Amino acid sequence: MSDINAIGLHTDSANQLAEKLNELLANYQIFYMNARGYHWNVKGPHFFELHVKFEEVYTDLLAKVDEVAERILTLGHEPLHAYSDYAKISRIQEDTHVHEGSECVRGLVQGYQALLELQRELNSMAADADDEGTASQMSDYIREQEKTVWMLSAYLG
């Protein structure tokens, strides 16, 4: 039996990457639900602009959920798909009963910060495993989300 998987990575490395990607997937799923909740429940003088922004955010997060799950499959593993699993391993916690606009935006900043930390860990792991596919995906996410954090932080003042 070969220790190399179908895409040419060492199986041990692919296993570790898939496990960490499942952790990332869990965080994306919880964060997606938080952003969805912000969209539905935001109130206040900035309702219209934030309602639209939160929809933009959760739509992007949903696309990334799918991309992360597909990367796990590409590595030869199964993505987690039960909310109970996500809740157990996510660093991002559910954010409930949040209505005030700046509180919702702070929740986004905190969620992105957690994602950035995980994606940097994955980027490093992928580089060590010569997994350019995962490293490239994480680099793209990091670059985009760093700018988003800057913009959201500027909004908060």
Side-chain angles (χ1 to χ4, degrees), residues 37-57:
Y38 302 150
H39 171 76
W40 290 332
N41 297 304
V42 67
K43 292 178 173 52
H46 301 288
F47 168 81
F48 290 105
E49 67 189 86
L50 290 176
H51 186 73
V52 170
K53 184 62 174 175
F54 297 150
E55 183 173 6
E56 177 187 310
V57 168

Side-chain angles (χ1 to χ4, degrees), residues 27-28 30-31 34 90-94 110-112 114-115:
N27 281 271
Y28 266 105
I30 300 291
F31 191 35
N34 287 348
S90 179
R91 297 178 189 181
I92 299 172
Q93 300 301 303
E94 293 177 322
Q110 291 168 353
Y112 280 121
L115 292 178

